[in-house]
Amino acid sequence: MPLCPPYFSGFDALSADEKSLLMDDALPQWLCAKKTDAGGAAHKCSEGSSAAVICIHGFTAMPYEVMPVARACVQAGVSAIAPLLSGHGYRELSMQKEKFGQITADGLLAAVREEIHRARQRYGSVGLYGHSMGGAIALILAAEGLVDACAVSAPALRLPWQAEVLAPVICRFAFTRAAPTKELFYLPSYQFYHSYAVRALWQLSHMGRHRLSEIDCPVLGVHTHGDKTVPPVVLDLMERRITSELSTVWFDPSSHAMTLDSCADEVNARVATFFKQCFC
């Protein structure tokens, strides 16, 4: 059954009409690591390594946010796919608000399940990497046993206390609130929140932290004590509840957007090394 709003798979070439609807930094990507290439150069292709990582962006964000990890994985010999999640990445403000207000936790999970299914048809080993909301999604689906390894950065298993308290109340009403980017570097994202989208994020956060004990694949969690968006306590939650092989690493003084901030090279390389060790 088609998802509403749709997600855009990294495996599909977009039509001209679809591209016109989306921001340039929102376009999904499929990068293939060919073992025959010296240095593991990135290619857009249909064949390649025997392992792949699906890279899931965060709330209001788009593939641009996780592409540094995707490229690092390719350099390490592991192919990477970066889909665009449902309701994200639209160019026009009116469509942004319409589509973002339609997203649901179930719809976001269904989109990534479909991407995993498509990856399984092409690769022998499949991993999930997720940042922030994408991290919560990745951990939920790892708990479902759908992937062979899972890495997350600043996973949204907890939200700022204001959101934890207010989300169940405000989500009964449809409205938007300005949310300009606070980073000092380029980070394309929606410049607003929608109350219904916040509800989906809050639900994913709740599901993610309550399913940690069901995960049985290797997991890597990276975070920073300087994160003002996702409380650092989430790594403590993972350490207490995940019983499978787990590694945690701190990258201070990075901000929430760890894949792009001051420690970006180290963060991206650490995630790629984790998947290389799991699959190669």
Side-chain angles (χ1 to χ4, degrees):
M1 179 180 298
L3 295 175
C4 182
Y7 91 102
F8 294 90
S9 171
F11 293 110
D12 294 334
L14 297 180
S15 68
D17 287 343
E18 288 172 328
K19 286 184 178 179
S20 70
L21 293 176
L22 302 176
M23 290 184 271
D24 292 341
D25 293 316
L27 301 183
Q29 302 286 332
W30 179 12
L31 300 180
C32 183
K34 290 187 175 180
K35 293 183 178 179
T36 56
D37 285 356
H43 295 269
K44 292 184 178 180
C45 62
S46 59
E47 297 179 358
S49 65
S50 60
V53 175
I54 301 169
C55 301
I56 308 301
H57 64 78
F59 189 68
T60 78
M62 54 196 72
Y64 180 92
E65 180 181 63
V66 294
M67 284 306 297
V69 167
R71 287 189 288 267
C73 286
V74 169
Q75 292 296 322
V78 181
S79 295
I81 305 98
L84 176 64
L85 292 179
S86 308
H88 290 72
Y90 288 92
R91 189 182 301 273
E92 298 296 332
L93 180 60
S94 60
M95 187 167 286
Q96 290 177 9
K97 292 184 176 181
E98 174 191 352
K99 299 298 186 181
F100 202 46
Q102 294 174 351
I103 69 171
T104 65
D106 287 343
L108 293 168
L109 291 170
V112 183
R113 287 192 194 101
E114 174 62 18
E115 201 75 344
I116 294 170
H117 173 71
R118 299 188 65 174
R120 286 288 187 197
Q121 295 175 327
R122 295 166 172 83
Y123 297 97
S125 299
V126 176
L128 262 184
Y129 161 72
H131 176 69
S132 196
M133 181 183 74
I137 292 172
L139 290 167
I140 293 167
L141 298 183
E144 293 181 6
L146 298 184
V147 294
D148 303 301
C150 178
V152 294
S153 54
L157 301 176
R158 287 283 186 190
L159 305 179
W161 70 266
Q162 299 94 327
E164 294 280 3
V165 172
L166 296 176
V169 178
I170 65 174
C171 295
R172 300 173 188 174
F173 311 97
F175 65 90
T176 60
R177 176 186 176 187
T181 300
K182 299 177 182 178
E183 305 294 355
L184 299 177
F185 47 85
Y186 181 63
L187 179 63
S189 62
Y190 286 169
Q191 300 300 293
F192 67 92
Y193 296 148
H194 192 290
S195 57
Y196 289 172
V198 171
R199 174 175 59 196
L201 172 62
W202 179 74
Q203 290 170 337
L204 289 167
S205 176
H206 184 272
M207 282 189 276
R209 65 176 178 265
H210 284 88
R211 297 200 63 179
L212 293 174
S213 63
E214 301 172 44
I215 297 173
D216 59 9
C217 68
V219 178
L220 169 68
V222 302
H223 205 356
T224 168
H225 292 96
D227 197 326
K228 305 300 184 183
T229 302
V230 173
V233 70
V234 297
L235 283 200
D236 296 331
L237 284 172
M238 292 173 63
E239 290 175 337
R240 290 200 305 269
R241 298 181 183 180
I242 293 176
T243 58
S244 63
E245 179 184 345
L246 171 67
S247 301
T248 57
V249 187
W250 295 95
F251 289 96
D252 299 335
S254 179
S255 65
H256 179 65
M258 301 179 66
T259 61
L260 300 166
D261 201 6
S262 57
C263 300
D265 289 346
E266 293 90 344
V267 171
N268 303 327
R270 182 65 183 86
V271 174
T273 298
F274 166 75
F275 285 114
K276 181 178 181 179
Q277 291 171 342
C278 289
F279 296 149
C280 300

